[in-house]
Amino acid sequence: MPSSTTANLVRTSRARVSRFSTSTPPPPPPETPRRPNPLVTSAAAGFAAGLIFVLARRWTTEAKSADVKCDGAPALTVVDTHGRPWMPVDAEEQDDPRNPMRIRMANWVKSLQDHIVLTLEAIEASHSPLPSEHSPSSSAPPKFLRDAWLRPEGGEGSSCVLAGGRVFEKAGVNISIVHGKLPPAGQKQMRAEHASLPQFDVPIPFFATGLSIVLHPRNPHVPTVHLNYRYFEVEHPEKPGEVLAWWFGGGSDLTPSYLVEEDARLFHSTLKDACDKHNTAYWPAFKAWCDKYFYIPHRKESRGVGGLFFDDLTTTSQIHAPKDGSNPPSKEEIFDFVKTISSAFLPAYVPIVLKNKDKGWTDEERRWQLLRRGRYVEFNLVYDRGTKFGLATPGARIESILMSLPEVARWEYMSEMGAEGTEEGKLMEVLRKPREWA
């Protein structure tokens, strides 16, 4: 039986011949439509119904087992929609324990940076593009500017910055991988916070790598968030390759403009669960350390509702002192903890964004958000050790260091906002007297 295309060509050819013929040939008989096989139709329908049932059952089962404990869109939605699990699985699979730790940590922060940037870009793309005075991006969803740079004194980095987004007014996800010589004065300054650092009268080789994130959302009901995880090591000045001291440090904290208790509980409980997988002593110690570190003495208040913070974490740290005959964790085990806790960032924060990003706000709420950002700036420029160390480091990339600052902030003389009994006052009560959220 000729195909439909062939049949059409045959009919066209006959029509042309009829113009020059004395008689018109009879038209070809119509093609008899093929009837579908009832057995095949039933099998296809059964397969489709079964597939829908399996997928629906799987989705509902996973949704019920999701760890999200707040209202709004569950974390599963992000995973299913954008196909990116919370942990960068490819980086975990490619990690080679035979490599030096400096290479392994550098590879980890690179992968985590890309993983988080893609997730944040997906959130931007999922938000309504309708223009408004609060969300100027009305065309294509904004993407991060990826700025790779080299440090003349040794090393490299990548600063990924988004400005004017639909969800994030300013967002920075930076990594640095630097090396050089630490002078005696720098060694002395660092020993105040790092007891494991040896002291030499000559410059010593150092290596440092880390990931730093600060997200300033547009909506006052979505909290600002900060993350930093890093690795540092120094070598013997006369024996290249011999590591004299090493440590991990980092943390993550939440800075809301308006207190939503279930959001604070979700953020803290997610980080606590990640800590407890490795050492149940970590969370209470690192949570208290965070409350102490992010305190603004001249304001007598905390920067936000906290999270966790740790530094100088090595096998000989006080928190790893042997108990009941147990051995301290190895370098490998501490690195595993850093991977777990850094991977907990997205499930701790993204559900809060999805829950609150579509809420409306008033001019007064925006005003309060900008006042709280002013406090954020005060802490970072006056007290933050990382900012101060970066600004004092020769060859430092100032634009990347100051990435943490918001584009817009506000200071008022003797502002009346934050009074007791107001929504703003509820936040101030917690900032002056930190609470346990998990």
Side-chain angles (χ1 to χ4, degrees):
M1 179 185 227
S3 67
S4 59
T5 302
T6 305
N8 289 335
L9 290 175
V10 171
R11 285 193 289 269
T12 302
S13 176
R14 287 173 177 169
R16 289 173 178 169
V17 171
S18 64
R19 295 173 55 191
F20 303 99
S21 303
T22 56
S23 61
T24 303
E31 297 179 1
T32 304
R34 299 178 59 183
R35 293 184 178 180
N37 190 318
L39 183 59
V40 174
T41 303
S42 300
F47 174 78
L51 180 61
I52 293 172
F53 173 78
V54 170
L55 292 177
R57 182 178 180 183
R58 178 184 175 188
W59 189 90
T60 54
T61 301
E62 292 179 353
K64 290 179 181 178
S65 63
D67 292 331
V68 178
K69 300 180 179 65
C70 69
D71 295 333
L76 185 65
T77 302
V78 176
V79 176
D80 282 352
T81 303
H82 309 301
R84 303 192 64 80
W86 295 126
M87 176 179 282
V89 179
D90 54 343
E92 182 69 18
E93 293 175 345
Q94 295 168 12
D95 180 42
D96 189 346
R98 294 172 296 181
N99 285 330
M101 184 56 69
R102 59 167 60 191
I103 294 178
R104 298 174 67 191
M105 184 63 176
N107 287 337
W108 177 257
V109 298
K110 283 182 177 180
S111 296
L112 195 59
Q113 179 195 41
D114 186 62
H115 183 67
I116 292 174
V117 164
L118 291 176
T119 301
L120 298 178
E121 286 181 340
I123 293 174
E124 283 286 339
S126 70
H127 193 66
S128 172
L130 296 177
S132 71
E133 61 177 332
H134 300 300
S135 184
S137 178
S138 58
S139 55
K143 291 184 176 294
F144 279 80
L145 168 67
R146 295 176 179 250
D147 182 20
W149 48 268
L150 295 175
R151 180 173 178 265
E153 292 77 7
E156 62 176 323
S158 173
S159 299
C160 296
V161 180
L162 183 148
R166 300 172 180 174
V167 178
F168 300 103
E169 191 168 41
K170 183 181 179 184
V173 185
N174 293 358
I175 63 167
S176 60
I177 307 167
V178 300
H179 56 86
K181 293 292 185 74
L182 189 64
Q187 299 171 41
K188 182 178 180 180
Q189 180 181 358
M190 292 191 69
R191 274 185 61 83
E193 302 293 341
H194 304 281
S196 60
L197 181 68
Q199 179 74 47
F200 287 87
D201 294 330
V202 296
I204 59 176
F206 79 90
F207 173 86
T209 185
L211 168 70
S212 180
I213 300 174
V214 177
L215 308 178
H216 292 290
R218 186 173 298 282
N219 193 317
H221 299 288
V222 181
T224 289
V225 72
H226 158 260
L227 170 148
N228 178 276
Y229 291 104
R230 56 195 176 273
Y231 171 74
F232 190 92
E233 68 178 31
V234 295
E235 295 181 355
H236 196 288
E238 299 175 358
K239 301 176 182 179
E242 181 180 323
V243 178
L244 293 177
W246 58 268
W247 64 81
F248 291 92
S252 184
D253 63 289
L254 195 68
T255 306
S257 298
Y258 286 90
L259 179 65
V260 181
E261 296 192 4
E262 56 265 38
D263 292 349
R265 284 193 290 268
L266 171 67
F267 187 82
H268 282 240
S269 62
T270 304
L271 298 183
K272 179 181 182 299
D273 291 344
C275 289
D276 289 348
K277 291 177 182 178
H278 297 266
N279 190 327
T280 55
Y282 281 169
W283 174 253
F286 296 164
K287 194 272 182 186
W289 199 342
C290 182
D291 290 338
K292 180 180 179 180
Y293 181 80
F294 290 105
Y295 183 72
I296 308 174
H298 67 269
R299 296 290 189 179
K300 295 181 172 57
E301 64 190 47
S302 296
R303 188 176 76 174
V305 297
L308 87 160
F309 178 87
F310 62 92
D311 206 359
D312 202 24
L313 191 64
T314 184
T315 54
T316 58
S317 299
Q318 181 62 36
I319 199 169
H320 294 147
K323 298 176 183 178
D324 302 326
S326 60
N327 295 321
S330 64
K331 191 175 189 177
E332 181 73 24
E333 290 172 322
I334 298 176
F335 180 45
D336 284 341
F337 162 67
V338 171
K339 289 190 289 186
T340 299
I341 194 65
S342 58
S343 297
F345 169 73
L346 289 176
Y349 183 64
V350 168
I352 298 173
V353 176
L354 299 180
K355 172 188 170 185
N356 297 298
K357 69 182 180 66
D358 296 320
K359 290 182 177 178
W361 70 86
T362 66
D363 290 340
E364 284 298 286
E365 289 170 335
R366 171 67 170 173
R367 174 188 167 202
W368 175 246
Q369 178 194 43
L370 298 183
L371 287 172
R372 294 311 310 167
R373 285 184 182 174
R375 299 291 202 270
Y376 201 96
V377 172
E378 291 175 24
F379 175 85
N380 279 31
L381 293 182
V382 178
Y383 300 109
D384 184 61
R385 291 206 307 259
T387 301
K388 293 166 66 176
F389 178 79
L391 294 176
T393 301
R397 198 164 191 275
I398 305 302
E399 291 294 326
S400 297
I401 295 171
L402 298 181
M403 171 275 300
S404 63
L405 302 182
E407 285 192 342
V408 185
R410 184 183 181 98
W411 285 265
E412 294 181 5
Y413 181 75
M414 301 293 289
S415 175
E416 79 285 359
M417 296 195 77
E420 185 177 354
T422 64
E423 288 298 316
E424 295 79 12
K426 291 179 182 178
L427 175 69
M428 294 306 302
E429 181 180 350
V430 172
L431 299 184
R432 292 170 181 146
K433 189 179 296 184
R435 287 166 51 179
E436 296 295 327
W437 299 102

